[in-house]
Amino acid sequence: MITKEKKPYALKQGMLENVMRQFDHAADHIGLNPNIRKILEITNNELVVHFPVKMDSGQVEVFTGYRVQHNNALGPYKGGLRYHPTVDIDAARALAMWMTWKTSLAGLPYGGAKGGIQLDPTKYSDAELERITRRFTYALGDNIGPELDIPAPDVNTNPQTMAWILDTYMSTKAPAERSTNLHVVTGKPIGAGGSQGRDRATGYGVFLNIKFWAEQKKYPLRGKSFILQGFGNVGYWAARFLEAEGARMVGVQDAYGSLYNPLGIPVEPLFEYAKANRNSILGYQEAQPVDSGAFFALDCDLCIPAALGNQITARNAADIKAALIAEGANGPTDVEAEKILLHRGIDIIPDILCNSGGVIGSYFEWLQNRNGEIWTLDEVMEKLEKKMKESFHRVVAFATEKQVDLRTAAFMIAIQRLEQTYLQRGIFP
Ligand code: GLU
């Protein structure tokens, strides 16, 4: 019996506490082998690097970067790099653990990792961000690699960031080896070895999960309203696909503020506006600004948190009007909020299922690079849809069979796959 006191991490309120509680709950349900539990509740490797970068002003600034590799029983470590002031060792641990469950649930040959740099990217020029990224890559050295640990975009990182990482990583290899390293990162621009469809994969996956849920509930999406927190890559694409299905975005929030229009906010014009407005939705004329503190209480049918962790908490869960929460972000709903929401009969499609289209898209990119193939957009989208559908229905069927909520079911499936791997393989030596 593992007691709370034996927990490897001193849990402070935050994402790490959440992921550990989610893990514990599911592990208890399956009666997880206690030895395997010890392995899975701790991360394999944790790298913290401090590195200097010359700023445009000529001054040198020292940055702190992280890469946490939680588990690689199923394959190379996989997961994004985020650039945000909230990045610290606990955040990287929590996010790395979610990646392990996500890749396991999706049936991919990957483990889980996450990392990033603690910074506010809006404070730096593009040239500075390039030098920061390249120097971080150099500091990570051979702790990442195409068959070892494969980063990807996450909050405030994008295909350009991945291209810089790839170029830096390749440049440190012998000339004959360079082109064999294309798959050291995924989410690259097409010209740098990226895959068709990776840009929209996460948002499309969020949309598909909502669609599958709606089909099952006989709940037509046409005419339904949704609110979206986060208007980055995930939120934008999810909103676009939902809008094309006949739903309307009535509320949207980004790091700068919140907008509301019960008649609907058109997605593409807002995207164009934000692009021209330093990536901020603030000031968009076709909607009214609303208090960000009251955002989750807005009237709507569907709610899509697609920004940061711990956004839906005991403070706002009781006010949510939506019938469904589809988690585009990692860890947006904390454990206390989830209890309130489930009690109120609100469904939650959990992050490790709902946003898994991203890492599945990454897997397709990695396979193409590794095999020297180039797939069409249609091929990628078709393969993605097939995988997402399988995952969704597996989780729903398991939840029904075991009489548990969707998150618990998703965690149970993911953990069981890892348990089986360890039991079959044994522990070295
Ligand atoms: N950052 C994304 C996630 O949290 C994608 C990870 C990847 O593609 O490796 O799932």
Side-chain angles (χ1 to χ4, degrees):
M1 180 74 193
I2 309 274
T3 62
K4 276 268 175 281
E5 294 74 59
K6 279 201 199 145
K7 278 281 164 277
Y9 303 115
L11 295 180
K12 58 180 192 203
Q13 280 274 316
M15 291 195 293
L16 187 57
E17 182 190 356
N18 259 315
V19 70
M20 294 301 287
R21 285 176 70 181
Q22 291 167 349
F23 169 74
D24 277 341
H25 182 64
D28 287 345
H29 258 286
I30 60 174
L32 177 64
N33 176 306
N35 286 318
I36 294 164
R37 192 171 182 140
K38 284 183 212 161
I39 300 169
L40 293 178
E41 68 183 7
I42 195 133
T43 60
N44 284 0
N45 307 306
E46 303 185 338
L47 186 65
V48 182
V49 292
H50 304 288
F51 53 96
V53 180
K54 207 187 285 174
M55 298 291 104
D56 293 344
S57 66
Q59 294 294 312
V60 167
E61 209 173 304
V62 175
F63 294 88
T64 303
Y66 302 85
R67 187 69 178 171
V68 170
Q69 299 170 334
H70 170 235
N71 189 277
N72 64 346
L74 298 172
Y77 300 106
K78 186 85 192 82
L81 291 173
R82 65 171 60 179
Y83 289 180
H84 199 268
T86 59
V87 172
D88 62 14
I89 191 69
D90 278 350
R93 285 170 174 160
L95 291 159
M97 286 185 182
W98 274 313
M99 283 310 304
T100 302
W101 318 137
K102 197 184 300 185
T103 53
S104 175
L105 175 66
L108 302 179
Y110 287 142
K114 194 72 124 217
I117 308 174
Q118 190 180 74
L119 57 70
D120 175 355
T122 62
K123 298 215 164 84
Y124 300 94
S125 70
D126 281 352
E128 287 171 335
L129 286 171
E130 175 171 354
R131 290 196 295 277
I132 293 166
T133 301
R134 288 184 181 277
R135 189 67 203 237
F136 178 43
T137 308
Y138 184 75
L140 291 173
D142 278 331
N143 292 293
I144 60 169
E147 305 289 332
L148 172 65
D149 181 357
I150 306 127
D154 199 86
V155 175
N156 291 333
T157 55
N158 55 37
Q160 176 63 78
T161 323
M162 298 305 115
W164 291 329
I165 296 176
L166 170 67
D167 186 64
T168 307
Y169 185 84
M170 281 169 87
S171 300
T172 63
K173 302 288 161 211
E177 278 177 39
R178 281 184 196 156
S179 62
T180 60
N181 285 291
L182 266 187
H183 50 312
V184 65
V185 278
T186 56
K188 300 179 289 291
I190 304 281
S195 170
Q196 294 289 346
R198 177 61 185 88
D199 54 356
R200 66 207 67 186
T202 318
Y204 186 57
V206 171
F207 161 71
L208 286 176
N209 271 286
I210 296 172
K211 195 174 88 150
F212 301 148
W213 173 88
E215 282 166 3
Q216 210 189 30
K217 298 270 169 189
K218 308 219 178 325
Y219 185 91
L221 289 176
R222 181 156 299 282
K224 294 294 187 298
S225 61
F226 66 92
I227 61 170
L228 170 68
Q229 186 191 46
F231 200 58
N233 181 259
V234 179
Y236 161 67
W237 281 104
R240 246 184 79 159
F241 287 112
L242 276 169
E243 190 183 56
E245 195 73 11
R248 66 185 198 286
M249 180 164 77
V250 295
V252 56
Q253 180 179 75
D254 72 1
Y256 304 95
S258 308
L259 299 174
Y260 178 63
N261 183 348
L263 300 175
I265 304 169
V267 177
E268 203 55 36
L270 179 67
F271 180 70
E272 291 303 324
Y273 173 85
K275 238 189 351 197
N277 192 36
R278 280 192 267 130
N279 281 327
S280 162
I281 60 169
L282 221 60
Y284 183 67
Q285 290 297 308
E286 312 302 316
Q288 68 200 64
V290 286
D291 174 20
S292 280
F295 179 75
F296 282 110
L298 290 175
D299 230 343
C300 64
D301 300 309
L302 312 162
C303 169
I304 308 162
L308 296 170
N310 282 347
Q311 299 299 300
I312 301 177
T313 64
R315 279 202 313 277
N316 54 18
D319 304 327
I320 289 182
K321 309 287 189 300
L324 173 72
I325 293 175
E327 295 185 335
N330 292 310
T333 312
D334 78 9
V335 172
E336 295 308 318
E338 179 147 22
K339 283 186 202 153
I340 298 169
L341 294 164
L342 293 177
H343 183 73
R344 292 182 56 213
I346 297 172
D347 282 351
I348 303 170
I349 306 179
D351 46 9
I352 63 167
L353 170 65
C354 196
N355 69 36
S356 62
V359 73
I360 295 171
S362 280
Y363 171 56
F364 294 157
E365 180 176 329
W366 184 79
L367 278 183
Q368 290 172 74
N369 293 159
R370 215 175 178 220
N371 299 338
E373 291 177 21
I374 295 175
W375 304 352
T376 64
L377 179 60
D378 284 350
E379 274 176 272
V380 172
M381 299 308 269
E382 210 174 289
K383 288 189 163 85
L384 182 61
E385 176 153 2
K386 186 164 173 279
K387 264 205 151 307
M388 299 296 315
K389 195 174 205 159
E390 278 166 16
S391 286
F392 178 85
H393 289 292
R394 192 180 317 125
V395 171
V396 170
F398 197 87
T400 311
E401 185 197 324
K402 305 286 178 196
Q403 289 292 296
V404 293
D405 59 90
L406 294 179
R407 189 183 321 273
T408 306
F411 267 69
M412 287 167 76
I413 296 169
I415 295 167
Q416 265 174 347
R417 184 173 167 221
L418 282 149
E419 182 182 38
Q420 201 191 21
T421 298
Y422 276 108
L423 290 176
Q424 288 174 355
R425 209 191 274 175
I427 304 290
F428 172 84

